[in-house]
Amino acid sequence: MLVSLFVCPLCQSPLQPALDTWRCDGSLNSKQTVHTFDVARQGYVNLLPVQQKKSKAPGDSQASIEARKRFLNRGHYKKLQALIGQTMGQLLAQREPVATSHNMPVNWLDVGCGEGYYTQAMAKITPDTIDALIAADISKPALVELAKESKAAGRLWYQKNTDNTDKATAIYPLVTSAAHLPLRAHSMTGISSIFSPILPKAFAEVLTDNGYLIIAKPDEGHLASMREALFDSVREHDSDKFLQELAPYFTLMNTYRVSAEMSLSADDLADLMTMTPYAYRAKSEKRQALVATVEKEAFRTEARFVVYVLQRALVK
């Protein structure tokens, strides 16, 4: 089923997953060269060629990943996690009768997945629904964390048949560029992009007809009190500015909003700043002053998110 799901990032030939090394068949390059990609011991596969990197270590740093793990594991964004999982479940439940009756595989791409806070939740709520859950990010340290957790839970792609976890969603952790997805055209049932770049054409190319796209972004007023404390001038989030770019490829189905009041300790606040762009955009003295105030009293702020649900428009 998955023989031709992936394509080689170097020559776009079909790419075959295997336990130790993934290989393409070289059928689409003039020299018929076979390219190989080793499976890391944690279980991820690096499909990011050097020529697609814009820096030596692209994506989130280890410090940012660790801060985000601590913050999210304390449950501060659990309402958003639950909304995304619920939305995803509803979309898959209403798939076209033709697709379900023909047992067409359900493949989902979580692009810009980071260390996998939302990916792992997706895998838990869809064990009988999704055949392949592709977790893609340009940050190698993030994929190391995601792969380790997936392996411990028995959800890695090569564990599905070896560990008697037939009910588990198979997670494929891939280091890759969202602009050059190593996926066969029109092979994805859905895509989720949570606080990640939006690439309308690239997403449309890998989605099936009527495939789904879930986008989560900060909403107006997100972390307002924190931003006011960190910056002299606060520019509001323009959450829907990208919808016009999506319009040629996608139709907007629904928009959901969710918010959560948060009372943050000094450690919470330090982690929140480290995991966001505020870590380097705010002046050092502003950050230090804000953390100092929290030593005496918990800092209160509100997380606000907007979730867009879109469907790929049929190509005429």
Side-chain angles (χ1 to χ4, degrees), residues 92-238:
L92 294 177
Q94 68 183 33
R95 289 174 66 222
E96 295 180 28
V98 173
T100 53
S101 64
H102 285 72
N103 293 319
M104 294 175 64
V106 178
N107 305 313
W108 193 281
L109 168 65
D110 188 25
V111 67
C113 61
E115 74 295 334
Y117 176 71
Y118 300 98
T119 314
Q120 300 295 349
M122 293 174 190
K124 289 178 183 177
I125 66 161
T126 58
D128 299 316
T129 310
I130 294 183
D131 295 287
L133 178 53
I134 316 301
D137 200 287
I138 202 169
S139 169
K140 179 180 173 180
L143 265 295
V144 169
E145 295 295 327
L146 187 151
K148 287 193 297 186
E149 185 171 343
S150 300
K151 189 175 184 179
R155 297 194 187 102
L156 273 183
W157 52 280
Y158 60 74
Q159 293 176 304
K160 186 166 185 180
N161 295 324
T162 60
D163 289 358
N164 295 319
T165 53
D166 291 339
K167 295 274 186 188
T169 295
I171 297 179
Y172 291 75
L174 304 181
V175 179
T176 185
S177 165
H180 304 280
L181 293 166
L183 299 169
R184 176 170 51 82
H186 312 310
S187 61
M188 295 292 108
T189 308
I191 297 175
S192 48
S193 176
I194 304 167
F195 313 129
S196 298
I198 307 300
L199 301 169
K201 186 176 180 180
F203 291 174
E205 285 177 351
V206 298
L207 275 174
T208 60
D209 288 344
N210 292 322
Y212 302 112
L213 174 60
I214 298 176
I215 296 173
K217 290 286 186 183
D219 201 5
E220 185 176 345
H222 179 61
L223 304 179
S225 59
M226 180 174 139
R227 290 184 290 124
E228 288 167 1
L230 289 173
F231 302 103
D232 297 327
S233 176
V234 177
R235 187 173 65 178
E236 198 49 78
H237 291 286
D238 185 7

